Amino acid sequence: MGTRIYVLDTTLRDGEQSPGFSMTPDEKLRLALQLEKLGVDIIEAGFPASSPSDLQAVQQVAREIKQATVCAFARATKADIDAAFSAIRYAARPRIQTFIATSPIHMEKKLGLKPDEVVRRAAEGVAYAKSFGVEVQFGLEDCMRSDPAFAARVTQAVVDAGATIINVADTVGYATPKEMFDMIRYLMDHVVAPQGVIFSCHCHDDLGMAMANTMAAIEAGCTQVEGTINGIGERAGNAAVEEIAMMLRTRGDYFQYVSGVNSVELFPTSRCLQSITGVGVQPNKAIVGANAFAHEAGIHQDGMLKDRSTYEIMRPQDVGVPETVLVLGKHSGRRALKDKLERMGYQLIDTELDRLFIRFKELADRKKYVTDEDLEAMLLENYQNIGADLFQLVSFQVVSGSGAVPTATVRISLANNNTKQEAASGFGPIEALFKAIDRAIDFTGEVLDFQVRALTIGSSGAAEVSVRVGWRESSAVGRGVSTDLLEACARAYIGAVNRLVLGIQPRLNVAASDGWMESIFRD
Ligand code: MN
């Protein structure tokens, strides 16, 4: 056994705050539960002072997570720390990470503070957080552009004030591995901590160095590393948790370090995040990309056939890549579906199963076989619609072709059980369809992103559509699955609008008043 490296996952904080990755409290909780299954040691669940919805999200995560530590992020101010504590106070293992910038450029230009004042505020912030009786981590923001002697002075002050984890942040992704190594060593050599302190690193990928810098920090003696799933995060993102975990595991011969990550959950966790945000990873993404285990070149394939270890340093099953298997057909029953889902790792409650079974039958009727991938896509569609089914697609018809004006007619069921039919034309059939839906539900959304993915190869394949719909400051992703591309589009669009309404007005009692659309969309 080697040295234990603790993994702090900040997908829900650093990852979530980057454009296109915002999540509702329920989505954050769903990802947090998957992160706990993955075995990360600490889940940084959010920045409670940033918004009431984030405070609620962190609270929800703190209540449900039992194994991992739940951490809340806070500037070194009383108000931020109060919000952080109120969010994590009921966690089984609560932690507050408070931080302040230590580089000359941040202190002068951003904070407008003299170095002495920065030291004082850092120590006061830590002491205040510590007064709540929780574990306190202190982050040196932009540490890698700071004077090492000053960074050590701040670190000594916060350690004396009670911080037990020191996070060295390369906030702007500027450092080289050697600089990272030297900074960690310098702090370790110059800070006196009789009660012991854990050093941590937080690396960004602006120059493609996040992973290399993280490994350098570990070699220097950091026993906590911060990262995100799929490497999402501010700008170019953070070090990717799946890469850190597989690096430690695959090169255990060299590094002698171990993490608590259960590697077979890496791929499912990556997919979970992709399904929530609607943002995929590039095919060549390390560990979780579609091509990460594909061997195309003839010479490689020849080697693989003789002995897989010639070109394969990790096996797809080690990271939980599912094998593509043709599974169910239209004669398969509810029981078979349930069994199959359980073997895939999904436990559904009866109402969820009922709902999925209807969709499964619809798909199986049109398609010869339903694969694992089809089922997963339908499950995601199903998850995304739970609690957000104000509007549902009843029927639709689209007329399109060369020389014709693309026209769509839709019938939508509304929350009050009425249905409404509307028609619209557009430059193309999908635009016509979205406009018809807008008319039926008295809404004008803006399509911010639109993606189509083929679920299975071949003419009977189903398509998965994800659409991000924006309205004023808010946006939400919806997903639709069907053998009919236009139907998938309609389902995805309606799904997004449902979630958008729910996000804007979470406790909306739709039965309560007739003019509810007015009150949400018109004020
Ligand atoms: Mn960051």
Side-chain angles (χ1 to χ4, degrees):
M1 284 299 272
T3 307
R4 178 74 155 78
I5 303 297
Y6 296 94
V7 175
L8 181 150
D9 182 285
T10 185
T11 308
L12 296 173
R13 199 277 299 168
D14 202 315
E16 200 259 355
Q17 73 193 32
S18 55
F21 289 93
S22 64
M23 301 177 212
T24 64
D26 285 348
E27 289 168 340
K28 280 194 153 191
L29 178 60
R30 185 144 64 85
L31 188 67
L33 291 169
Q34 178 59 40
L35 288 169
E36 181 163 57
K37 227 166 134 188
L38 175 64
V40 302
D41 300 285
I42 305 106
I43 297 172
E44 186 162 66
F47 185 2
S50 68
S51 73
S53 134
D54 209 37
L55 188 136
Q56 188 204 332
V58 179
Q59 264 171 350
Q60 213 167 310
V61 169
R63 281 199 198 97
E64 300 291 329
I65 295 298
K66 299 291 173 241
Q67 301 302 319
T69 294
V70 177
C71 179
F73 197 63
R75 285 166 295 195
T77 66
K78 197 168 177 295
D80 270 31
I81 293 165
D82 283 337
F85 178 69
S86 74
I88 50 124
R89 62 187 305 170
Y90 299 116
R93 298 158 197 266
R95 178 186 294 184
I96 292 173
Q97 163 156 230
T98 185
F99 69 97
I100 200 162
T102 54
S103 64
I105 187 164
H106 275 232
M107 291 191 289
E108 278 164 35
K109 304 272 161 66
K110 187 180 80 171
L111 301 173
L113 294 175
K114 295 269 178 260
D116 287 350
E117 180 66 7
V118 168
V119 176
R120 190 181 66 77
R121 289 200 190 186
E124 277 180 11
V126 167
Y128 186 61
K130 199 72 194 167
S131 73
F132 291 108
V134 299
E135 189 170 57
V136 178
Q137 170 172 336
F138 181 80
L140 292 94
E141 188 188 9
D142 204 19
C143 182
M144 294 310 296
R145 290 195 295 172
S146 306
D147 168 28
F150 181 68
R153 193 182 147 206
V154 174
T155 303
Q156 187 65 62
V158 297
V159 166
D160 292 343
T164 49
I165 305 105
I166 298 298
N167 186 37
V168 174
D170 184 23
T171 305
V172 293
Y174 184 73
T176 68
K178 174 133 195 331
E179 288 170 324
M180 179 57 82
F181 185 96
D182 290 347
M183 177 64 86
I184 302 287
R185 275 291 159 89
Y186 184 91
L187 295 178
M188 289 178 123
D189 289 346
H190 289 82
V191 171
V192 183
Q195 78 278 33
V197 60
I198 288 174
F199 280 88
S200 166
C201 69
H202 176 103
C203 300
H204 275 273
D205 211 31
D206 297 70
L207 293 170
M209 300 305 281
M211 186 59 200
N213 288 339
T214 300
M215 295 314 299
I218 290 176
E219 289 192 279
C222 274
T223 49
Q224 176 182 294
V225 292
E226 299 199 355
T228 58
I229 301 304
N230 299 340
I232 70 169
E234 290 277 9
R235 306 178 314 279
N238 292 68
V241 164
E242 62 275 13
E243 295 174 19
I244 297 167
M246 288 314 286
M247 182 74 190
L248 297 179
R249 186 189 147 125
T250 308
R251 296 310 311 277
D253 60 320
Y254 177 70
F255 284 117
Q256 310 289 313
Y257 299 118
V258 289
S259 79
V261 170
N262 179 16
S263 69
V264 297
E265 292 296 335
L266 287 169
F267 189 81
T269 310
S270 168
R271 285 293 295 272
C272 179
L273 176 64
Q274 293 177 51
S275 73
I276 289 170
T277 59
V279 183
V281 297
Q282 78 272 26
N284 58 312
K285 169 76 183 67
I287 317 297
V288 294
N291 293 351
F293 295 95
H295 300 270
E296 199 62 41
I299 198 165
H300 289 206
Q301 288 183 346
D302 177 57
M304 289 283 287
L305 289 171
K306 286 173 179 150
D307 186 334
R308 299 190 73 83
S309 64
T310 50
Y311 285 98
E312 194 172 73
I313 59 166
M314 300 170 274
R315 298 174 308 163
Q317 58 266 40
D318 294 341
V319 303
V321 174
E323 286 174 39
T324 312
V325 193
L326 296 176
V327 273
L328 302 169
K330 68 175 180 183
H331 300 296
S332 306
R334 203 168 169 280
R335 181 72 233 172
L337 177 66
K338 187 166 193 268
D339 282 351
K340 178 69 201 168
L341 290 166
E342 278 173 8
R343 268 182 286 129
M344 287 165 68
Y346 296 102
Q347 302 282 346
L348 268 66
I349 57 168
D350 282 351
T351 50
E352 287 174 338
L353 186 68
D354 290 345
R355 214 166 149 151
L356 193 70
F357 188 62
I358 294 169
R359 296 282 291 124
F360 163 72
K361 280 292 183 189
E362 284 169 11
L363 193 66
D365 267 345
R366 297 192 213 168
K367 203 167 171 282
K368 217 168 174 181
Y369 298 107
V370 177
T371 65
D372 288 9
E373 213 180 2
D374 294 333
L375 282 180
E376 268 186 333
M378 282 192 295
L379 260 174
L380 298 176
E381 182 195 73
N382 199 42
Y383 272 134
Q384 288 207 319
N385 286 336
I386 283 175
D389 47 6
L390 306 176
F391 307 114
Q392 286 183 43
L393 181 68
V394 178
S395 62
F396 78 101
Q397 196 174 35
V398 176
V399 180
S400 171
S402 49
V405 177
T407 310
T409 311
V410 296
R411 179 171 284 278
I412 307 282
S413 73
L414 309 176
N416 55 9
N417 288 328
N418 291 339
T419 65
K420 201 168 169 207
Q421 184 170 308
E422 283 288 348
S425 61
F427 291 110
I430 294 171
E431 194 209 5
L433 188 58
F434 290 172
K435 275 166 77 178
I437 294 168
D438 277 354
R439 275 188 195 163
I441 63 178
D442 196 15
F443 174 75
T444 312
E446 188 188 350
V447 176
L448 301 176
D449 188 33
F450 180 88
Q451 291 184 36
V452 182
R453 190 166 75 98
L455 287 175
T456 34
I457 310 301
S459 55
S460 67
E464 179 185 53
V465 171
S466 85
V467 181
R468 179 174 287 276
V469 178
W471 187 79
R472 294 196 180 167
E473 305 290 281
S474 308
S475 74
V477 179
R479 185 175 301 263
V481 181
S482 176
T483 50
D484 182 318
L485 176 63
L486 290 166
E487 183 185 324
C489 290
R491 286 181 176 279
Y493 188 83
I494 293 168
V497 175
N498 281 334
R499 284 153 45 80
L500 195 55
V501 174
L502 213 72
I504 294 167
Q505 189 65 273
R507 277 173 295 278
L508 178 74
N509 184 352
V510 288
S513 73
D514 271 349
W516 65 278
M517 282 298 292
E518 310 283 304
S519 64
I520 298 166
F521 288 132
R522 293 280 147 72
D523 61 5

